[in-house]
Amino acid sequence: MAAAVKTPISGAAASLFLILLFSVLSSAQSYFRGETTRRNLSVELNPGWPSPSSRPPNGELLHVRAVGDNDTLHFLFCSQGAPTLLLVHTNTSSSSLKVNWKEFVSRNVSGSLKVEPESSVLYSSATVFSRLLEYDDVNNTAEPTSDLFPPYELGSFLWSRLVLSGPSARLCGVAPDNATFANGSLCLQLSVFGEGGRAESWPRLLHTANSSQVEVWLDGVLPRATQSRFLLELQAVGGAYRPSRVEVQRSIDDEFTPSIFKVSRWLSSENGSSEILGFLQWKPVASRGRDSSVENATPCHHSAPRPQSSEDTARASGLVRAFYAEPQTVGLNVSFGLAGDPFYNSTRFLRWTVLIGSGSPPVESFSPLVLAIMAVGLGTPMILLVLGGVYVCIRKRVAVTAAAYQPIN
Ligand SMILES: *[C@@H]1O[C@H](CO)[C@@H](O)[C@H](O)[C@H]1NC(C)=O
Ligand SMILES: *[C@@H]1O[C@H](CO)[C@@H](O)[C@H](O)[C@H]1NC(C)=O
Ligand SMILES: *[C@@H]1O[C@H](CO)[C@@H](O)[C@H](O)[C@H]1NC(C)=O
Ligand SMILES: *[C@@H]1O[C@H](CO)[C@@H](O)[C@H](O)[C@H]1NC(C)=O
Ligand SMILES: *[C@@H]1O[C@H](CO)[C@@H](O)[C@H](O)[C@H]1NC(C)=O
Ligand SMILES: *[C@@H]1O[C@H](CO)[C@@H](O)[C@H](O)[C@H]1NC(C)=O
Ligand SMILES: *[C@@H]1O[C@H](CO)[C@@H](O)[C@H](O)[C@H]1NC(C)=O
Ligand SMILES: *[C@@H]1O[C@H](CO)[C@@H](O)[C@H](O)[C@H]1NC(C)=O
Ligand SMILES: *[C@@H]1O[C@H](CO)[C@@H](O)[C@H](O)[C@H]1NC(C)=O
Ligand SMILES: *[C@@H]1O[C@H](CO)[C@@H](O)[C@H](O)[C@H]1NC(C)=O
Ligand SMILES: *[C@@H]1O[C@H](CO)[C@@H](O)[C@H](O)[C@H]1NC(C)=O
C-alpha cells in the first residue's frame, strides 16, 4: 500500500527534476553557442551621393555597417536593377565604403564601389533576386516544366524608394508593363541584426549578429492563369579571388514551424576546403496569407544550383557590376506550392523568408520545451519501470517471508 502511493509522487518529482535540468542545460548551451557576438549597426542611405535632396536615378543604395570587436560586416542593399544584397566581411573595425556615383549609376564599369582597404576583405558575396517566373499548372502537378509565362525580369522593374526603419529597409516594385501589377507589387524587406535571436515574424528564423534576413512577398498581383504558381530565381555571386562552392543541406527541426522538419542551406566555401564562408538558409515553407499562420503555410522546394552567365548577372544588377570585376555566379529557383495545394489566385499573396550571412549558418537546437517534453516522455516510464521493479521485489520478499511463516500456523 505504502509503495503504491509513493510511486507516482516520486515519479513526478523525478521528472520535474529532469525537466529543470534539461532546461538549464539547453539555455546554457544556446548562451555559449556564440550568440554573445554583438555588432554596432549604423545605417546610411546613398552614402556619398552629392545632393541629399534628390535621389540617384534608377535606384538607391543602402549601407549598413555592422562593426564587431575586430571585424566589420558591410551589408549593401541596392535597387539599381535587380534587387541585390552584397555582404563584405573585413578583418578590421575601421574599413569603409567608397562609391564613385558617376560611374556607379552608369552601370557599365566595375570598381565604382569599393570597400577599403581592399586587403582587409576576407569574404564577399552577393545575392541577386533576378527573376519571378509564373506557370500555368493546368494538371495541378506543381512541375514548372512547361506552360511558363514570359518571366518577370526584376532588373527592369520600377522600384520604389527604400523605406527605412532602424536597421531594416523595404523596397517594392512593379513590372514596367504593369497590367498584372496594377493593384499589386513585389516587395523585399531587409533586416540586419546587431545580436543573435529569433525573428518576430513567421517562420521565426534563428539569426546571429553575422546574418541578415530578407523577406520577399508578392501581394495582389493578377495571375496570368487561374491555376498559376510562381518561382523565384536567385543568383549567388562570388568574386574571382574567392570562388564559391555551393551545396544544399538539410537538418532537423522544430516547434516554431510545425511539420517543417527541414532547413535548406546554400553554402559557399573555397575549393577543396570545408570551411564555410557564407550562406543562404531558409525553411522550405512560404505563407499564402498576409497574417502568416500555420494554416496558410505552403511548402516550397528548390532546384539544383547551376552556374550562370556572369555577364547576364552583372547586366541585371548594378551592385554586382560595380563591385565585382569577374563575378562567378550560381543560380537556383525556389518554387512555391506542391501538387494539390491552393493556387496563387486563392489568396493572391505569397511570402518567403531567407537568412543571408557570413561564416557558418546558425543551427537550431532542441528548445527547452521540446527537451522538457522529451524528459517527461522518456524519464517518466524509466522511473516507473525502476520503481515498479523495486515494488515487485519488495512484494516478492514479503510473500516469501509470509510463506515462510505459513507452515507454523
Ligand atoms: C560571427 O563572425 C565572427 C567573425 O568571423 C566570428 O568570430 C563569430 O564567432 C561569429 N559569430 C557567430 C554567432 O556566428
Ligand atoms: C558599440 O558601441 C558602444 C557604445 O558606443 C561601445 O561601448 C562598444 O565598444 C561598441 N562595440 C563594438 C563591437 O564596436
Ligand atoms: C581583437 O584584437 C585585439 C588586439 O589585436 C585582441 O587583443 C583581442 O583579443 C581581439 N578580440 C577578439 C574578440 O578577437
Ligand atoms: C560607360 O557609359 C558612359 C556613358 O553612359 C560612357 O561615356 C563610357 O564610355 C562607358 N564606359 C564603358 C567602359 O563602356
Ligand atoms: C587583414 O588581412 C590582411 C590581408 O590578409 C592582412 O595583411 C592584415 O594584417 C589583416 N589585418 C588584421 C588586423 O588582421
Ligand atoms: C496535362 O494532362 C494531359 C492529359 O493527361 C496531358 O495531355 C497534358 O500534356 C498535361 N499538361 C501538362 C502541362 O503537363
Ligand atoms: C503603368 O506604368 C506607367 C509608367 O510607369 C504609368 O504611366 C501607368 O499609369 C501605369 N498603368 C497602370 C495601370 O498602373
Ligand atoms: C484594381 O483595382 C480596381 C479598384 O479596386 C479595380 O477596379 C481594377 O479592376 C483592379 N485591376 C486589376 C487588374 O485587378
Ligand atoms: C481567381 O479567383 C476568382 C475567385 O476566387 C475567380 O473569380 C477568378 O476567375 C480566378 N481567376 C483568375 C485568373 O484570377
Ligand atoms: C575552383 O573550382 C572551379 C570549378 O571546379 C574552377 O573553375 C576554379 O578555377 C577553381 N578555383 C581555384 C582557385 O582553384
Ligand atoms: C529557373 O526556372 C526557369 C524555368 O524553368 C529556367 O529557365 C531557369 O533556367 C531556372 N533558373 C535556374 C537558376 O535554374
Side-chain angles (χ1 to χ4, degrees), residues 13-70:
S15 0
L16 204 68
F17 171 74
L18 277 178
I19 293 167
L20 287 175
L21 184 73
F22 272 108
S23 315
V24 168
L25 278 179
S26 71
S27 330
Q29 181 201 3
S30 52
Y31 182 77
F32 288 114
R33 225 175 30 212
E35 266 128 61
T36 46
T37 309
R38 279 167 197 272
R39 295 183 180 278
N40 282 349
L41 305 181
S42 57
V43 179
E44 204 181 354
L45 189 60
N46 305 320
W49 174 247
S51 52
S53 55
S54 70
R55 63 169 187 153
N58 309 321
E60 294 185 290
L61 175 68
L62 177 76
H63 178 210
V64 182
R65 215 164 161 260
V67 183
D69 286 334
N70 285 337

Side-chain angles (χ1 to χ4, degrees), residues 131 133 144 148 231 233-235 303-304 306 308 331-333:
R131 294 199 293 173
L133 300 128
L148 276 153
L231 298 93
E233 187 186 67
L234 306 177
Q235 317 259 0
S303 63
R306 287 209 312 230
Q308 304 284 300
L332 64 69
N333 282 326

Side-chain angles (χ1 to χ4, degrees), residues 125-148:
S125 81
T127 306
V128 182
F129 296 84
S130 50
R131 294 199 293 173
L132 179 70
L133 300 128
E134 180 183 357
Y135 64 100
D136 186 2
D137 193 6
V138 281
N139 291 341
N140 200 353
T141 54
E143 293 287 344
T145 43
S146 58
D147 288 306
L148 276 153

Side-chain angles (χ1 to χ4, degrees), residues 187-324:
C187 297
L188 294 95
Q189 168 127 0
L190 168 75
S191 307
V192 180
F193 308 104
E195 57 185 58
R198 192 178 285 282
E200 285 294 310
S201 59
W202 191 87
R204 313 250 6 231
L205 294 183
L206 192 68
H207 60 75
T208 69
N210 293 344
S211 53
S212 60
Q213 177 178 290
V214 178
E215 286 178 86
V216 186
W217 65 95
L218 186 65
D219 187 0
V221 172
L222 190 68
R224 286 174 278 184
T226 322
Q227 313 233 78
S228 274
R229 293 191 196 280
F230 285 90
L231 298 93
L232 184 65
E233 187 186 67
L234 306 177
Q235 317 259 0
V237 185
Y241 55 94
R242 284 275 187 186
S244 61
R245 178 168 58 85
V246 176
E247 60 189 50
V248 177
Q249 296 186 345
R250 285 154 197 284
S251 77
I252 303 176
D253 195 31
D254 97 49
E255 79 193 68
F256 294 99
T257 46
S259 84
I260 307 297
F261 295 98
K262 287 175 191 160
V263 175
S264 300
R265 300 154 156 205
W266 194 7
L267 308 172
S268 310
S269 58
E270 269 185 288
N271 280 3
S273 158
S274 61
E275 192 196 351
I276 299 165
L277 298 168
F279 63 88
L280 280 83
Q281 175 163 292
W282 64 90
K283 294 260 175 82
V285 66
S287 176
R288 285 185 293 106
R290 283 160 194 84
D291 59 328
S292 305
S293 63
V294 174
E295 304 88 74
N296 282 325
T298 190
C300 56
H301 41 202
H302 55 79
S303 63
R306 287 209 312 230
Q308 304 284 300
S309 150
S310 56
E311 186 42 42
D312 287 352
T313 310
R315 203 179 301 115
S317 163
L319 195 49
V320 168
R321 170 74 81 205
F323 186 75
Y324 289 108

Side-chain angles (χ1 to χ4, degrees), residues 91-92 119-120 122:
N91 67 357
T92 152
S119 66
S120 72
L122 298 172

